[in-house]
Amino acid sequence: MTSSAFDTSQVKDKRDTINSRFQKIKSMAASRRAKLNESHRLHQFFRDMDDEESWIKEKKLLVSSEDYGRDLTGVQNLRKKHKRLEAELAAHEPAIQGVLDTGKKLSDDNTIGQEEIQQRLAQFVEHWKELKQLATARGQRLEESLEYQQFVANVEEEEAWINEKMTLVASEDYGDTLAAIQGLLKKHEAFETDFTVHKDRVSDVCTNGQDLVKKNNHHEENISSKMKGLNGKVSDLEKAAAQRKAKLDENSAFLQFNWKADVVESWIGEKENSLKTDDYGRDLSSVQTLLTKQETFDAGLQAFQQEGIANITALKDQLLAAKHIQSKAIEARHASLMKRWSQLLANSATRKKKLLEAQSHFRKVEDLFLTFAKKASAFNSWFENAEEDLTDPVRCNSLEEIKALREAHDAFRSSLSSAQADFNQLAELDRQIKSFRVASNPYTWFTMEALEETWRNLQKIIKERELELQKEQRRQEENDKLRQEFAQHANAFHQWIQETRTYLLDGSCMVEESGTLESQLEATKRKHQEIRAMRSQLKKIEDLGAAMEEALILDNKYTEHSTVGLAQQWDQLDQLGMRMQHNLEQQIQARNTTGVTEEALKEFSMMFKHFDKDKSGRLNHQEFKSCLRSLGYDLPMVEEGEPDPEFEAILDTVDPNRDGHVSLQEYMAFMISRETENVKSSEEIESAFRALSSEGKPYVTKEELYQNLTREQADYCVSHMKPYVDGKGRELPTAFDYVEFTRSLFVN
């Protein structure tokens, strides 16, 4: 082998040796490192366990405390702290479990100190378990303490209420007035209601305490002691309340008696004052009023005896029977009341006796007053009537009236002897009344002095009346002469008016049936002049009427006519004459211009006067309708109140203003217009005559006229038509020229 090879081998061995030693050192280092780590873990475990043990020890000190609170607030605070501790234990549970898990792992890994680890673990677990047991036990004790303190609080609350009410029921204030005792009774009643509620509460508190004892609460002895003390206080309060209630009721009964006694005493005092008056009346009326009041007063006494006196006596008997502590005072008060009551009854009886005596006295006076008042009233009424009759103004309207007045006056003077007797009786009654020395008569304002003055005035009035009657007698004799003179002239003038009206309207003096219209017109004018001439006679009558008015003559037994009435009748007669003239002139014109015959006009006039029953020269609507029917007008018959258009159309013509009357002038104008209403023109008349002639000839024969017209119309035409002359100048016999007649008629 060469040296280089040797060296190489040597280096290799050296290297392997170094590597082996290095690996060994490396292995030893790793082993030591592992042991150091294991030792570190072990010491770390022990240190952690020491920390936990220290924490457990600290907490054990807390849960081992014997302080469970001295009051409810303290217990509640300790309970809150314990709840936080339990929460902390629960929160620390993972850390404890971590330590246990680490120790178990170390023990399982056959680490050094395995026995110590297991011993420490067992000891640690025991300490943890003991801590949890102590915590649980303390929590239970705190709950028991909370229940106990709540029980104690309830007991103390009830004891405080009882102590407060003991002070109330122990009070010596039982009220000194009825209002005060009633207030105290109401307060006590409210207390008893409240006490019932609190007794229920005490029962509930004791039931709660018994439940705590049954649960073996560690305050069992204190609970039993407090329940006993509370029940004792309730019993003491109940007894004290019952005693106070009895005293309040007793004092209330006494004050009630005193109050009722005060009411009775006040009522008696009021009635005593009513009886102290010395007023026994001034007259019968006032005495009777006082007696009525006294009877009412006595009725009130009887009613009060049945109620007020009976009630106060019954109350007294009730209190004495109950052996009231104030029995002597009650009995003395009642005896005093009864004494005053007996005296009141005696005083009332005495007053009633005096009032009855006064009534008897005034009744005698009253009878005299009433008798005097009745007779004085009757005498005064007689005097007033006599005075009224005697002083009534003597204004008569006839001799008969003044004669009756004088006869009545004589009869009155004959009756004065009876009045004198009544006057003497009144004087005697007045003397008797004055002997009683009483006030004025309440039933009359008449006095004897006034009646005497009245009697003297009557004599004076009688004399004055006789003078007035004589004066009026002379005046009436003069007035009667004036009445007779007026009546003579008025009656004669009225007779003339009636005769003249009859002359104008009846036409008996105008011979209407034979006289012509012209002769009637002349007669009417003469009569109208006579009417105007009689105006002077009317003036004389008016002068006599004025003289009667001046003499205040309001009636006239010798005539029924007055100046106004006669003047109106004369005026109406004057107007009637003018209307008659105008009507005749109208008829003459109608006869001459329209062909209406004089006989027709007479018929119209006669028919008008026939229906003019009152000779007023006018027809009312019903008379006018009857007149038209009599003249041949075919007017329909209608019921009263129903419309009559045909007749209304006629009234529109004759009475357009509807004054209710149709004058002779209006009537004649209507009848004339109706007679000629179909004649419109000369051509129409010519056509009518042409229709009468045969073959339409320009003339009409006498026979044709009498065949087709009324006799009056035919006579009128024959007398007024000229004979017909033909174109050769020849007159035809019995032929009349109607053309020339018609033209001449319309020209006129």
Side-chain angles (χ1 to χ4, degrees), residues 572-608:
Q572 292 173 359
L573 187 63
D574 181 57
Q575 292 180 14
L576 178 62
M578 288 190 294
R579 288 199 303 271
M580 294 291 289
Q581 289 183 51
H582 182 73
N583 182 50
L584 288 169
E585 291 170 352
Q586 183 184 29
Q587 292 181 45
I588 292 171
Q589 183 182 8
R591 181 198 65 190
N592 295 335
T593 60
T594 63
V596 180
T597 65
E598 199 166 308
E599 288 75 10
L601 293 172
K602 287 181 180 180
E603 182 183 4
F604 298 155
S605 178
M606 291 295 292
M607 196 60 69
F608 180 91

Side-chain angles (χ1 to χ4, degrees), residues 539-569:
K539 178 66 170 60
K540 183 176 181 180
I541 293 172
E542 289 176 341
D543 292 341
L544 289 172
M548 289 177 64
E549 289 183 5
E550 186 177 354
L552 300 177
I553 301 174
L554 304 178
D555 62 340
N556 193 340
K557 66 179 180 179
Y558 302 109
T559 183
E560 60 182 6
H561 308 299
S562 65
T563 54
V564 175
L566 292 173
Q568 289 178 347
Q569 292 180 42

Side-chain angles (χ1 to χ4, degrees), residues 227-285:
M227 286 193 297
K228 183 178 180 181
L230 181 60
N231 286 325
K233 289 186 176 184
V234 169
S235 179
D236 293 341
L237 179 59
E238 195 167 16
K239 291 178 182 178
Q243 292 175 358
R244 179 168 178 78
K245 180 66 165 61
K247 290 183 178 181
L248 286 173
D249 289 340
E250 187 177 66
N251 194 43
S252 175
F254 179 67
L255 291 176
Q256 189 78 16
F257 172 81
N258 280 337
W259 174 75
K260 289 186 177 181
D262 289 340
V263 171
V264 171
E265 202 166 48
S266 175
W267 192 90
I268 291 174
E270 180 183 345
K271 300 306 176 184
E272 287 173 342
N273 290 332
S274 300
L275 294 175
K276 288 179 180 179
T277 177
D278 292 329
D279 181 13
Y280 294 102
R282 299 175 305 279
D283 49 38
L284 182 61
S285 176

Side-chain angles (χ1 to χ4, degrees), residues 145-161:
S145 292
L146 179 62
E147 291 178 344
Y148 169 72
Q149 291 298 337
Q150 288 175 338
F151 167 78
V152 170
N154 291 335
V155 170
E156 290 176 349
E157 182 181 356
E158 293 304 316
E159 286 181 342
W161 182 86

Side-chain angles (χ1 to χ4, degrees), residues 654-668:
V654 298
D655 187 18
N657 60 354
R658 289 296 193 278
D659 61 4
H661 296 90
V662 179
S663 67
L664 177 61
Q665 183 179 352
E666 292 170 337
Y667 165 78
M668 292 300 294

